Amino acid sequence: MKTTGLYPCVRVDAAGSGVVSQAGGLLLTEAVRASGLVAELSRVLAPWRKPLARHDPAKIVTDLAIALGLGGDCLADIAVLRGEPGLFGPVASDPTVSRTVDALAGDVEAVLKAINAARATARAQVWALAGHHAPDAGRDGDNPLIVDLDATLVGAHSDKQGAAPTFKRGYGFHPLCAFVDHGPDGSGEPLAVMLRPGNAGSNTASDHITVVRGALKQLPGHRQGTRPGRKVLIRTDAAGCTHEFLDWITGQRLSYSVGFTLPDDFAQALPRIPKQAWTPAIDSDGRVRDGAWVADVTALLNLKTWPAGMRVIARKERPHPGAQLRLTDIDGHRITAFATNTPRGQLADLELRHRRRARAEDRIRAAKDTGLRNLPLHDFDQNQIWCAIVALACELTTWMQLLAFTDPDGTTHQARRWEPKRLRLRLFSTAARLARTGRRTIVHLARNAARTTVLHTGLTRIRTLTTPG
């Protein structure tokens, strides 16, 4: 090897054997194995498998999800898996993949119901393996499981079915998503993804209700028709603050925390709030946030038409340096509010809980990095199947992190919170060498690679959880 300039000058040939890339993708295949996803998908998708078909639709759907987890954004990117049969097994050809998606889209309602049922079963298995580290462990009315709702815009060409103008003067789709929050030590996983045309309303109550219903069916222990109660909190921005949606949530006895738009004349009522009623807001680490206060303003508002038990909490904050004042700002302060039916708790804690709704933006960004940024198919029903595969890909990534990077003593590795881009760069793209001895296939990771220990430890952790005894 010679060194010229800043980089080594190396000799290259094509004589290597047994070398594989994307060895870190084994983390995703182990998550599939641990969750029992393929077996469950194979069972529910059996009606759509042709008698002489070589490839199971369940394997094709799971392969597509793994390909998206590794960075793909279209059906053809399944070729990444096809090139590594030693890691991912037999992978269908592009025409077979395309025909399978077309066949599933031909009966989209039944297929989505089947896929969602398999997802719910796999989720219950993963959360059971996670034990007291599972998102729903130890949840009650005072510490509920939080489900975030948020919508996003996905650009598309005008010739795609269902694409329409958006409120931001773009063109495409306006999917509405529900994510379960894993808290500060983790990320989050999608429970429901509802594909909608670009002109769908931001505050359409019927869509919010549909997505929450789908999300509740995904939670372990909550069968269809049962009420989870206050152990589940629905958190949204002001788009979810509609009479119909909150009336439905109240009827389901769920907790909620939603953005609330204050009336135009609230500025006149603001001076009536005693100074001592304003409580300092806090940061995520529990320290007092300079220049921000919260107060309960329920008594100053007419809430007769809203559900009983609603509380409105206002936040007053000095705009950040350089931020321009808005017409709604009062006395140099930015006033925002949210509504909740949580009867107990410190105002600052409730406000911090609602402000953490911003994590939904992180979940949206991760989903767009895992296939949601581009809806590659033409028909609306085909893209609904694509969104279900995106949800699977995001779940496999999150389940892998939950099982692989959480130690029994409760400590978590920083990889537990890594977003898809970092996982791909540091773990999934790891190269290795395949060796076969007897009936076993062994993957030899590079001994001195920077992340080999992290990858090997994660794989060992998942297999420990899923190995009897």
Side-chain angles (χ1 to χ4, degrees), residues 64 67 74-84 88 91-92 94 97:
L64 285 171
C74 65
L75 296 182
D77 285 336
I78 200 173
V80 175
L81 276 62
R82 192 182 301 117
E84 305 291 357
F88 304 108
V91 176
D94 288 348
V97 172

Side-chain angles (χ1 to χ4, degrees), residues 246-417:
L246 293 186
D247 286 341
W248 181 84
I249 286 182
T250 303
Q252 298 296 310
R253 300 177 184 175
L254 297 165
S255 298
Y256 64 81
S257 181
V258 300
F260 188 87
T261 302
L262 293 169
D264 295 336
D265 59 353
F266 183 76
Q268 301 174 7
L270 192 63
R272 292 166 27 204
I273 303 177
K275 185 176 181 180
Q276 61 271 20
W278 290 101
T279 302
I282 58 176
D283 286 323
S284 57
D285 57 4
R287 294 184 297 180
V288 172
R289 185 178 180 88
D290 184 41
W293 303 267
V294 293
D296 191 327
V297 298
T298 306
L300 300 178
L301 301 171
N302 182 6
L303 303 177
K304 292 182 179 179
T305 60
W306 292 95
M310 173 187 277
R311 302 173 63 192
V312 177
I313 299 173
R315 172 187 175 89
K316 178 174 68 172
E317 183 176 22
R318 290 193 293 266
H320 297 291
Q324 294 183 349
L325 294 177
R326 299 178 298 191
L327 294 176
T328 54
D329 294 339
I330 304 172
D331 294 333
H333 292 90
R334 188 150 294 169
I335 307 296
T336 57
F338 69 97
T340 182
N341 60 350
T342 302
R344 297 182 299 273
Q346 299 293 324
L347 295 182
D349 293 333
L350 297 177
E351 192 274 335
L352 176 62
R353 183 185 70 180
H354 181 76
R355 188 154 31 96
R356 283 174 170 162
R357 195 204 64 81
R359 290 175 181 164
E361 302 292 339
D362 299 332
R363 309 289 88 80
I364 289 286
R365 183 174 61 251
K368 287 191 171 183
D369 286 340
T370 315
L372 191 61
R373 189 181 309 278
N374 173 43
L375 302 182
L377 306 172
H378 177 271
D379 294 347
F380 190 82
D381 290 343
Q382 291 175 331
N383 281 323
Q384 287 192 83
I385 299 297
W386 178 262
C387 287
I389 296 173
V390 169
L392 277 174
C394 294
E395 286 166 339
L396 287 177
T397 301
T398 304
W399 294 344
M400 175 274 295
Q401 292 175 294
L402 175 63
L403 298 180
F405 301 121
T406 304
D407 295 330
D409 61 0
T411 59
T412 58
H413 188 272
Q414 58 181 343
R416 174 76 173 83
R417 297 181 296 276

Side-chain angles (χ1 to χ4, degrees), residues 127 131-145 230-232:
W127 288 16
H132 63 279
H133 301 301
D136 62 345
R139 299 296 184 175
D140 54 27
D142 294 327
N143 182 30
L145 178 70
R230 293 297 180 91
K231 292 191 296 183
V232 174

Side-chain angles (χ1 to χ4, degrees), residues 149-162:
L149 267 63
D150 203 0
T152 186
L153 296 176
V154 177
H157 296 294
S158 59
D159 59 348
K160 290 191 176 182
Q161 186 181 29

Side-chain angles (χ1 to χ4, degrees), residues 76-260:
D77 285 336
I78 200 173
V80 175
L81 276 62
R82 192 182 301 117
E84 305 291 357
L87 296 180
F88 304 108
V91 176
S93 65
D94 288 348
T96 300
V97 172
S98 181
R99 286 193 299 266
T100 300
V101 173
D102 285 342
L104 296 178
D107 194 7
V108 67
E109 295 298 333
V111 168
L112 290 178
K113 183 177 180 180
I115 292 177
N116 289 336
R119 291 173 54 220
T121 302
R123 193 185 321 278
Q125 171 71 8
V126 171
W127 288 16
L129 290 174
H132 63 279
H133 301 301
D136 62 345
R139 299 296 184 175
D140 54 27
D142 294 327
N143 182 30
L145 178 70
I146 297 177
V147 176
D148 286 314
L149 267 63
D150 203 0
T152 186
L153 296 176
V154 177
H157 296 294
S158 59
D159 59 348
K160 290 191 176 182
Q161 186 181 29
T166 69
F167 67 93
K168 288 191 175 180
R169 300 183 180 181
Y171 205 92
F173 300 91
H174 193 188
L176 179 62
C177 310
F179 302 90
V180 62
D181 185 19
H182 282 210
D185 294 330
S187 53
E189 57 190 275
L191 298 178
V193 179
M194 180 181 183
L195 184 60
R196 306 185 299 168
N199 57 2
S202 298
N203 57 353
T204 305
S206 59
D207 290 349
H208 282 72
I209 293 173
T210 299
V211 169
V212 172
R213 279 177 171 161
L216 294 179
K217 292 177 183 178
Q218 289 295 312
L219 298 180
H222 298 311
R223 301 183 304 276
Q224 184 176 3
T226 62
R227 293 179 175 179
R230 293 297 180 91
K231 292 191 296 183
V232 174
L233 180 137
I234 307 301
R235 188 168 60 183
T236 76
D237 55 14
C241 191
T242 61
H243 291 274
E244 183 181 352
F245 182 51
L246 293 186
D247 286 341
W248 181 84
I249 286 182
T250 303
Q252 298 296 310
R253 300 177 184 175
L254 297 165
S255 298
Y256 64 81
S257 181
V258 300
F260 188 87

